[in-house]
């Protein structure tokens, strides 16, 4: 692609839904109701007569989904991701705040490195704080309200190919096999996506998968939030390896329902905060005073641990042969060390890539090379950010 990455990002951030529907396909099928899958379905609703989202979970249910093992952990919505959500769902911020999300303008945020307060950038963009189930629920309700989007509770077990194109998805509904036909198939199955296996089984090459082992251990806890609590809505405190060998950092956010969501992280064999007593003790002893003040509140529920073994990316763009009418988005393409908070924002940019590709009126009988080239720019940037920082960690080689 001839354009510079900076120009491509500027163009993606300027992407707007078409003013009027102009379908370029009949039926699109999205495998996976993740945030990436929901955003892909939102984009496809502008370009397809109908969209079906296949997921093992009932997407109409409320609360945390079993299919999102990291859903109980702290998530960040970077400013770029929020801007994309506001574009796809006009009024998203207003609706989110009305239902309990917390506005986090720069003055309400504090960042510490090795106990020293860093300077707040006055013109930094606002952000929005809320739990993953809350934010995902807002997106899901907006997508499922679209008249041409439907859901299917099922397990995807393969792709149907006809010649050089994907033409549908094989499904298993309570032991009954079936096929959902499609003019475009979107893989949004996350880190555990089986698309590479399915491609190989059908005689296609599988993409090279790159991995960087990080062995990150999370622990997340909820605390009651009171009016007398610290004013900052979001505080991040990082430790360099020379200062702390067992805890990489901690953060807390103000989230909906008058709660604090606090997180602690360590690498390798270090698993800080796995018990309530250890979590509260470290909040008091190893971090700035605001953390101890939050930990004075009532602990709500159990501490939730999570292990992230590695960052990985699948280089679909590098395949010399790739089926038409098939793309992959979100963590199914690249998933990063979650410390950097890139996951949801990356998903929104993949959706912008899909919108840009489809609004060009592509020939769907050909591989989606234009989409893959745009997506590569997004993935390269996020991958470079996370892996270059991870390489500085003593246990990463």
């Amino acid at each position: 692609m001839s354009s510079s990455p900076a120009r491509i990002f500027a163009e993606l951030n300027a992407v707007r839904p078409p003013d009027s529907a102009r379908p370029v396909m009949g039926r699109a099928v999205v495998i996976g109701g993740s945030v990436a899958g929901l955003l892909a379905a939102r984009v496809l609703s502008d370009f397809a007569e109908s969209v079906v989202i296949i997921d093992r979970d009932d997407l109409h249910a409320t609360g945390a989904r079993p299919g999102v093992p990291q859903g109980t952990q702290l998530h960040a919505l970077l400013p770029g991701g929020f801007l994309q959500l506001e574009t796809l769902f006009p009024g998203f911020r207003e609706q989110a705040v009305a239902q309990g999300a917390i506005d986090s303008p720069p003055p309400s945020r504090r960042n510490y490195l090795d106990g020293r307060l860093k300077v707040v950038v006055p013109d930094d963009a606002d952000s929005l704080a809320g739990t993953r189930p809350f934010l995902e629920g807002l997106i899901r309700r907006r997508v499922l309200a679209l008249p041409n989007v439907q859901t299917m509770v099922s397990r995807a077990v393969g792709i149907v190919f006809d010649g050089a194109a994907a033409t549908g998805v094989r499904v298993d509904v309570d032991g009954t096999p079936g096929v959902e036909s499609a003019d475009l198939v979107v893989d949004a199955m996350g880190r555990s996506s089986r698309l590479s296996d399915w491609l190989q089984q059908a005689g296609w090459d599988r993409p090279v998968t790159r991995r960087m082992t990080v062995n990150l251990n999370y622990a997340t806890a909820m605390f009651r939030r009171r009016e007398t609590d610290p004013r900052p809505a979001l505080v991040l405190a990082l430790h360099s390896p020379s200062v702390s060998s067992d805890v990489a950092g901690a953060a807390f956010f103000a989230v909906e329902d008058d709660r604090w969501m606090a997180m602690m992280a360590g690498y390798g064999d270090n698993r800080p905060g796995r018990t309530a007593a250890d979590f509260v003790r470290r909040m008091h002893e190893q971090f700035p005073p605001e953390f101890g003040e939050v930990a004075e509140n009532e602990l709500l529920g159990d501490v939730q641990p999570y292990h992230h073994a590695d960052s990985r990316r699948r280089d679909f763009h590098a395949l010399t042969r790739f089926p038409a009418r098939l793309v992959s988005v979100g963590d199914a393409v690249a998933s990063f060390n979650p410390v950097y908070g890139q996951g949801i924002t990356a998903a929104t940019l993949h959706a912008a890539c899909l919108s840009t590709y489809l609004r060009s009126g592509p020939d769907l009988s050909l591989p989606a090379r234009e989409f893959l080239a745009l997506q590569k720019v997004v993935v390269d940037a996020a991958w470079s950010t996370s892996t270059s920082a991870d390489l500085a960690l003593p246990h990463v080689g």
Side-chain angles (χ1 to χ4, degrees), residues 146-183:
L146 296 169
N148 60 340
V149 174
Q150 300 174 321
T151 65
M152 179 179 187
V153 180
S154 177
R155 186 168 63 94
V157 295
I159 302 291
V160 179
F161 295 98
D162 184 359
T167 59
V169 179
R170 300 187 191 279
V171 297
D172 182 317
V173 185
D174 295 329
T176 301
V179 171
E180 291 296 309
S181 60
D183 296 308

Side-chain angles (χ1 to χ4, degrees), residues 27-265:
R27 193 167 191 255
V29 174
V30 179
I31 312 174
S34 61
V35 169
L38 292 169
L39 296 177
R42 166 63 190 87
V43 168
L44 288 165
S45 71
D46 291 326
F47 300 96
E49 293 175 1
S50 65
V51 182
V52 177
I53 307 172
I54 298 172
D55 198 279
R56 288 176 294 179
D57 294 336
D58 179 2
L59 297 180
H60 291 277
T62 58
R65 293 194 299 114
V68 186
Q70 76 280 22
T72 57
Q73 304 303 313
L74 186 148
H75 284 68
L77 181 57
L78 301 178
F82 167 73
L83 292 174
Q84 290 288 342
L85 288 178
E86 189 67 30
T87 297
L88 289 169
F89 309 105
F92 184 86
R93 172 186 285 278
E94 182 180 356
Q95 180 187 20
V97 171
Q99 296 186 25
I102 308 300
D103 264 317
S104 299
S108 73
R109 305 199 293 267
R110 291 182 188 167
N111 292 336
Y112 291 88
L113 177 61
D114 295 335
R116 293 188 175 185
L117 183 64
K118 298 174 68 176
V119 175
V120 175
V121 180
D123 58 353
D124 193 10
D126 290 357
S127 61
L128 203 63
T131 63
R132 167 66 180 263
F134 174 81
L135 294 172
E136 183 178 320
L138 288 173
I139 296 169
R140 188 164 60 241
R141 289 191 292 275
R142 293 288 289 263
V143 172
L144 300 188
L146 296 169
N148 60 340
V149 174
Q150 300 174 321
T151 65
M152 179 179 187
V153 180
S154 177
R155 186 168 63 94
V157 295
I159 302 291
V160 179
F161 295 98
D162 184 359
T167 59
V169 179
R170 300 187 191 279
V171 297
D172 182 317
V173 185
D174 295 329
T176 301
V179 171
E180 291 296 309
S181 60
D183 296 308
L184 181 69
V185 175
V186 178
D187 162 30
M189 290 182 282
R191 284 170 57 88
S192 61
S193 170
R194 295 191 59 206
L195 180 59
S196 297
D197 296 334
W198 296 343
L199 287 170
Q200 188 174 43
Q201 291 164 9
W204 298 89
D205 294 333
R206 64 185 298 133
V208 170
T209 300
R210 290 190 258 171
R211 298 174 186 264
M212 175 172 283
T213 301
V214 293
N215 281 331
L216 172 70
N217 303 301
Y218 261 21
T220 297
M222 290 286 192
F223 294 89
R224 183 79 64 198
R225 179 161 52 89
R226 305 166 302 180
E227 286 298 322
T228 56
D229 282 348
R231 290 298 92 197
L234 188 162
V235 179
L236 172 66
L238 298 178
H239 289 164
S240 59
S242 61
V243 170
S244 175
S245 60
D246 66 338
V247 58
F252 65 81
F253 289 1
V255 297
E256 73 277 3
D257 298 328
D258 297 322
R259 294 175 296 171
W260 292 113
M261 191 174 204
M263 176 275 290
M264 222 166 274

